Amino acid sequence: MGLEIVVKDIMDAAQAEVARLNREADAEASLILNDARQNAKKIVGERLAKAEDDIRKMRQQETSSANLEVKRTLLNARKELLEDVYARAEKSIAAFSQEKNRELLKSIIEKNEASGKRIYSNAASEKLVRELTSLEYAGNIDCLGGVVIENEDGTVRLDYTYDVILRSVSEQLLKQTSDILFG
């Protein structure tokens, strides 16, 4: 029986050692799992923060792009409207009555004929221009109306065509026109 007690004591000691090793292994495994969980949480948090930052940047880029596109569309619409107003002004000028055309041409010629030798106009106004001036009629030009007065050697040309006057007024008053139309 003495041997059985020794075997039992060895077995009890071995089981106690196994139990202790299992507890230590379980504790170490628990620590390793906790560390792994903490690392996983940290990695997930970092990736989530990066994803949120990427989303924020993308949203900001998309918003900026959309705002730029809206501004571009608005500017194009305004430009088209201003071009339409300009075209309507040209049509209104082209539709001047004979009397209105006579009045404007007379005023332009009286103020400027002393500066010139020759005068040009569009074909529709030729007869009227010849009546209103003593300058040499030099020919027809393609314009809405008005005249071009040239000095004797052709080095100075005073362009009083309605096209040039309209363009000049349009450029000078572009901001005011835009403010009126678009506030």
Side-chain angles (χ1 to χ4, degrees):
M1 289 236 186
L3 189 55
E4 284 181 9
I5 292 177
V6 171
V7 170
K8 185 176 183 299
D9 285 345
I10 292 173
M11 286 296 281
D12 286 344
Q15 285 178 350
E17 181 66 17
V18 167
R20 185 187 65 78
L21 288 173
N22 279 341
R23 282 192 306 274
E24 286 177 6
D26 286 346
E28 193 173 328
S30 181
L31 284 173
I32 291 170
L33 281 174
N34 283 339
D35 283 348
R37 284 187 186 115
Q38 292 301 323
N39 281 340
K41 283 182 183 178
K42 182 180 171 187
I43 290 169
V44 167
E46 288 172 355
R47 288 193 177 161
L48 184 60
K50 184 180 181 328
E52 287 173 352
D53 189 47
D54 289 347
I55 290 169
R56 184 184 50 76
K57 286 178 183 176
M58 287 172 56
R59 185 175 291 138
Q60 189 175 19
Q61 286 176 340
E62 290 297 320
T63 301
S64 294
S65 292
N67 286 337
L68 187 61
E69 186 61 31
V70 166
K71 285 180 183 178
R72 185 182 357 257
T73 302
L74 183 61
L75 287 174
N76 285 339
R78 286 180 174 182
K79 180 182 174 198
E80 286 177 20
L81 186 57
L82 287 170
E83 287 171 353
D84 184 53
V85 168
Y86 190 88
R88 287 180 185 205
E90 283 182 324
K91 286 179 184 176
S92 294
I93 290 170
F96 277 169
S97 67
Q98 254 324 74
E99 187 173 315
K100 181 70 172 176
N101 194 33
R102 173 183 278 282
E103 185 181 312
L104 289 171
L105 287 172
K106 183 177 180 183
S107 175
I108 292 169
I109 291 169
E110 284 177 356
K111 289 179 184 175
N112 298 289
E113 76 179 325
S115 305
K117 172 81 171 145
R118 289 180 288 283
I119 193 164
Y120 302 84
S121 74
N122 65 12
S125 301
E126 178 179 348
K127 183 178 177 188
L128 181 58
V129 169
R130 286 180 185 269
E131 289 174 16
L132 294 173
T133 186
S134 60
L135 296 177
E136 170 191 332
Y137 191 83
N140 296 333
I141 54 174
D142 184 27
C143 64
L144 293 172
V147 294
V148 173
I149 298 174
E150 187 176 71
N151 70 353
E152 188 167 341
D153 60 6
T155 56
V156 177
R157 290 183 70 140
L158 303 175
D159 191 338
Y160 292 103
T161 57
Y162 300 158
D163 311 66
V164 169
I165 294 169
L166 175 63
R167 193 174 318 116
S168 175
V169 168
S170 175
E171 288 170 2
Q172 290 173 7
L173 300 177
L174 181 61
K175 182 172 177 7
Q176 286 175 294
T177 304
S178 183
D179 289 347
I180 291 168
L181 292 173
F182 310 118

